[in-house]
Amino acid sequence: MNSNKNSSRGRQQGKKKPQSTFTRKFDNKKKFSKARVTPSKAPSKQTTSNAEVDGIRLNKYIANSGVCSRREADVFIAAGSAMVNGKVITEMGYKVKLSDEVRFDGSLISPEKKRYVLLNKPKNFITTMEDDRGRKTVMELVGNASKERIYPVGRLDRNTTGLLLFTNDGELAKKLTHPKHNIQKIYHASLDKKLTNADLNKIAEGFILDEKRVIVDEVSYILNQPKSEVGVKIHSGRNRIVRRIFEHFNYKVVKLDRVIFAGLTKKDLPRGHWRHLTEMEVNNLKML
């Protein structure tokens, strides 16, 4: 599978009031483009040779983590900023193994280069690292995207298509999935029948689902499409939330496609293909 070779190096570092958008429709031609929203991982087999057996110098480990240069790392080590397996290390030339727990100023660091891969997920792939029932997983689609072991950020169910991010940057992954950060997603839902204006209004105003209030940031018909085609902007991370919203009002979601995730779009990314994020995209994610 081909991919653009744009890669980047990461550095380890209120609910909104629902909007009434009944008169404004999403522009289907632009695929929601106007709605933009502005622990250490186990080493891969390729990196576990001499470094795992003999260890690498602590200053190199810190530098490879993107914290600072080797020379600067020596200064920080002497100042007591580095800990290995819970012990402060000030010895110059101290060697660590890739299996050691290394902390810099209290934060866990890893020497792996940070990778950020965006996939346009097709149907019939489950979002998991492996499956004991032999079903196809999203990892099969990004298997050659990185020599580092990357993980999916959040989930898309088997029949949902669209944007899915993978990374080995645990800090960013946690940020993008934690409810307090209100990361927005936009979905294109195809329903089994036309959505009535009354139900559209109820969804936009918010309602109770399983004893919890559902807040939708925006919901509208798709421009120049039947009223069974609906765009939904939402920041909730509840399981299968978009499908459950429509099921609550007795509609079945025939197709569901995530077209925007945290400001990332599907532009120039065909279904089933992946690409590395640009440096600007990574920086934007870290600023959310």
Side-chain angles (χ1 to χ4, degrees):
M1 185 179 299
N2 294 327
S3 164
N4 296 330
K5 296 298 182 181
N6 297 324
S7 60
S8 59
R9 296 189 61 181
R11 177 176 176 179
Q12 293 188 313
Q13 319 242 0
K15 294 183 178 179
K16 294 186 177 181
K17 184 177 180 181
Q19 302 176 22
S20 296
T21 58
F22 322 137
T23 58
R24 190 174 71 80
K25 298 184 178 182
F26 283 108
D27 184 348
N28 188 51
K29 293 182 179 180
K30 296 190 176 181
K31 287 294 182 183
F32 312 110
S33 61
K34 291 186 177 180
R36 294 186 62 107
V37 183
T38 309
S40 178
K41 303 299 180 184
S44 62
K45 291 182 179 179
Q46 293 96 322
T47 61
T48 58
S49 52
N50 294 336
E52 183 60 36
V53 176
D54 302 325
I56 61 176
R57 290 171 64 98
L58 180 56
N59 64 348
K60 181 179 180 181
Y61 187 106
I62 294 173
N64 287 352
S65 301
V67 174
C68 59
S69 68
R70 287 198 202 182
R71 182 173 297 181
E72 291 170 329
D74 284 334
V75 176
F76 288 123
I77 291 170
S81 297
M83 294 179 65
V84 179
N85 298 326
K87 180 182 177 181
V88 175
I89 301 297
T90 57
E91 174 189 341
M92 293 297 108
Y94 185 91
K95 288 191 174 183
V96 297
K97 295 182 178 180
L98 295 178
S99 57
D100 288 336
E101 180 186 273
V102 181
R103 291 182 178 272
F104 183 84
D105 282 345
S107 297
L108 194 66
I109 61 174
S110 167
E112 287 187 334
K113 185 173 183 177
K114 296 297 179 288
R115 299 291 185 182
Y116 309 88
V117 174
L118 187 65
L119 170 71
N120 187 352
K121 176 188 172 297
K123 285 184 63 174
N124 298 321
F125 284 82
I126 60 174
T127 307
T128 185
M129 297 299 292
E130 55 187 23
D131 182 61
D132 54 11
R133 294 166 55 185
R135 294 174 296 178
K136 295 183 291 187
T137 77
V138 291
M139 300 311 299
E140 299 174 33
L141 300 171
V142 296
N144 63 340
S146 168
K147 68 178 183 179
E148 292 82 10
R149 195 177 190 195
I150 53 178
Y151 302 82
V153 177
R155 301 178 69 87
L156 287 178
D157 64 41
R158 185 176 183 179
N159 291 322
T160 300
T161 60
L163 296 178
L164 185 61
L165 181 66
F166 296 76
T167 186
N168 57 349
D169 187 338
E171 183 177 348
L172 180 62
K174 183 178 179 180
K175 175 181 179 180
L176 294 177
T177 54
H178 199 287
K180 75 175 183 180
H181 293 292
N182 294 323
I183 301 302
Q184 289 189 323
K185 289 86 68 174
I186 296 182
Y187 293 85
H188 177 175
S190 299
L191 308 180
D192 62 338
K193 56 186 176 181
K194 293 180 180 180
L195 179 67
T196 67
N197 287 324
D199 287 337
L200 180 73
N201 291 350
K202 290 175 184 177
I203 293 172
E205 291 167 357
F207 61 96
I208 302 300
L209 177 64
D210 296 336
E211 300 182 350
K212 293 183 179 179
R213 187 166 184 79
V214 174
I215 302 295
V216 173
D217 301 310
E218 190 173 335
V219 57
S220 288
Y221 300 115
I222 302 294
L223 188 64
N224 299 323
Q225 293 291 316
K227 289 190 175 182
S228 58
E229 303 296 320
V230 184
V232 180
K233 182 193 293 186
I234 194 167
H235 62 263
S236 172
R238 293 168 64 179
N239 187 39
R240 299 182 71 251
I241 186 61
V242 177
R243 293 183 184 275
R244 291 166 62 201
I245 286 173
F246 291 107
E247 288 169 0
H248 180 77
F249 293 95
N250 298 314
Y251 298 88
K252 180 180 179 181
V253 177
V254 179
K255 295 180 182 179
L256 186 61
D257 188 37
R258 185 155 74 185
V259 297
I260 290 182
F261 174 73
L264 302 171
T265 75
K266 298 195 303 177
K267 183 180 179 182
D268 300 325
L269 187 61
R271 185 90 74 216
H273 288 242
W274 57 266
R275 66 172 178 83
H276 291 286
L277 296 191
T278 65
E279 184 175 359
M280 178 177 293
E281 287 173 326
V282 174
N283 290 337
N284 288 341
L285 290 179
K286 292 184 176 183
M287 290 172 62
L288 291 176

